[in-house]
Each structure stands twice: as C-alpha cells, then as structure tokens.
Amino acid sequence: MKLYHAGRDEIREPDIYRGRKNADFGQGFYLTPDREFAYRWAYEDYVVNEYELDLKGLEVISFSRTPDWFDYIYRNRRLRDTSEADVVTGPVANDTLYNTFGIISSGLLKPEDALALLQIGPEFKQTAVKSEKALQNLTWIGAQRITDAAHYRDLVRKEEEEYQKLFAAYMQKIK
C-alpha cells in the first residue's frame, strides 16, 4: 500500500506516539493513500513523504462514511480509543479540514445530523499507523519538496467555500 504524508521535513522514522490522542482514529502516524490529497494540504517548502506499508500480518480496520465510522471518531475525540488495531483506514472527517466551529462533535446535535454533516463535501482517505508492529511494516521511499503550493491552496480555498455553503444549508434545515 502506497501512502503519503505532507510535513515540514522528511520523516524517515515516523513516531506513532507524537500525534494527538483525540484525532479521528486515535493516536498514530497519519498518512493518506491519495497522493493528490497530501499535496493539497502541503504548504510552500513542505515535503511530501512517500511510504509503502505491508499489511501482511497486521490487524486493519477499514471504514466508510457509516454510523460505525462516526461512532469510532466520536469515541476517539473523547479519548476513548479502545481499538487494538495496528492500522485504521477510512475517510477523513471533513470538520478537521474545514472550519465547523466544533459543532459536529459538540454533542449538541443528534447523531444522525452530526453524521450527515460529516458526509458533506469531498471524501478523502486517511490511514493511521497505530502500533509498533505496523510501524515496522512501513518503509520510507522518498520525499519531494513542494515548490509551488499556491495552486493547491487555491483549490482548498474554493473547496472550503463550497463546503461552508453546503454546511450552512444543512444547518438551516435542522434548526
């Protein structure tokens, strides 16, 4: 499995304990199988690291935009990661990409409305390497420095504007 990670530096030896414990899939090293997505979130002078992950012998949980995915994210955001998985893969919750003022995971919405809001907008994939065993199966291939991020930043800006319109329209329906 090819994976990508955008950051300020080459990361030849990732740290699965450095990331936030309350992230969508809990603590781990987050990557994406979508090379284009990694570039979209890189800034000028960042690098996009490329990796290969051998899934053989690993416990992998895969999600799509379903109530199970929402429940998993909701638990992790409240520091209740109970998974023993080595790798978790599935959609990025768009409220981490676009500003929603914490509304979705505030607990103020009905779960079905929160899930509907998380399903608005494009679906990007993420993969969290969560265990030492999985980390040993992750091989750094190389990195490419970003020299012109303006094109990608413009795409993200336009995408966020559209997302905000869809988000506001849904919020108007449920108020």
Side-chain angles (χ1 to χ4, degrees), residues 80-99:
R80 296 185 184 127
D81 182 1
T82 58
S83 168
E84 296 294 324
D86 299 305
V87 176
V88 180
T89 187
V92 175
N94 282 341
D95 66 333
T96 61
L97 301 178
Y98 310 116
N99 192 1

Side-chain angles (χ1 to χ4, degrees), residues 103-142:
I103 293 168
I104 292 174
S105 58
S106 67
L108 298 174
L109 298 174
K110 294 180 204 170
E112 59 269 17
D113 289 326
L115 176 60
L117 286 167
L118 285 177
Q119 293 173 331
I120 289 173
E123 183 174 329
F124 299 110
K125 299 287 186 187
Q126 64 185 342
T127 299
V129 173
K130 297 178 61 66
S131 72
E132 292 290 340
K133 182 178 178 184
L135 196 55
Q136 291 175 9
N137 285 17
L138 185 69
T139 305
W140 184 79
I141 304 298

Side-chain angles (χ1 to χ4, degrees), residues 47-161:
V47 295
V48 173
N49 291 277
E50 182 178 340
Y51 302 87
E52 191 169 279
L53 178 62
D54 181 359
L55 297 174
K56 190 181 341 174
L58 300 179
E59 183 179 335
V60 179
I61 297 175
S62 294
F63 288 106
S64 57
R65 286 177 163 176
T66 64
D68 288 341
W69 166 72
F70 173 73
D71 290 342
Y72 192 85
I73 289 170
Y74 197 78
R75 279 194 320 272
N76 283 321
R77 289 184 181 183
R78 282 155 181 74
L79 300 174
R80 296 185 184 127
D81 182 1
T82 58
S83 168
E84 296 294 324
D86 299 305
V87 176
V88 180
T89 187
V92 175
N94 282 341
D95 66 333
T96 61
L97 301 178
Y98 310 116
N99 192 1
T100 64
F101 308 104
I103 293 168
I104 292 174
S105 58
S106 67
L108 298 174
L109 298 174
K110 294 180 204 170
E112 59 269 17
D113 289 326
L115 176 60
L117 286 167
L118 285 177
Q119 293 173 331
I120 289 173
E123 183 174 329
F124 299 110
K125 299 287 186 187
Q126 64 185 342
T127 299
V129 173
K130 297 178 61 66
S131 72
E132 292 290 340
K133 182 178 178 184
L135 196 55
Q136 291 175 9
N137 285 17
L138 185 69
T139 305
W140 184 79
I141 304 298
Q144 183 175 352
R145 185 145 311 273
I146 306 297
T147 56
D148 182 21
H151 165 72
Y152 293 106
R153 302 312 304 157
D154 191 46
L155 283 174
V156 170
R157 183 187 53 75
K158 289 176 184 174
E159 202 170 75
E160 182 164 16
E161 287 173 4

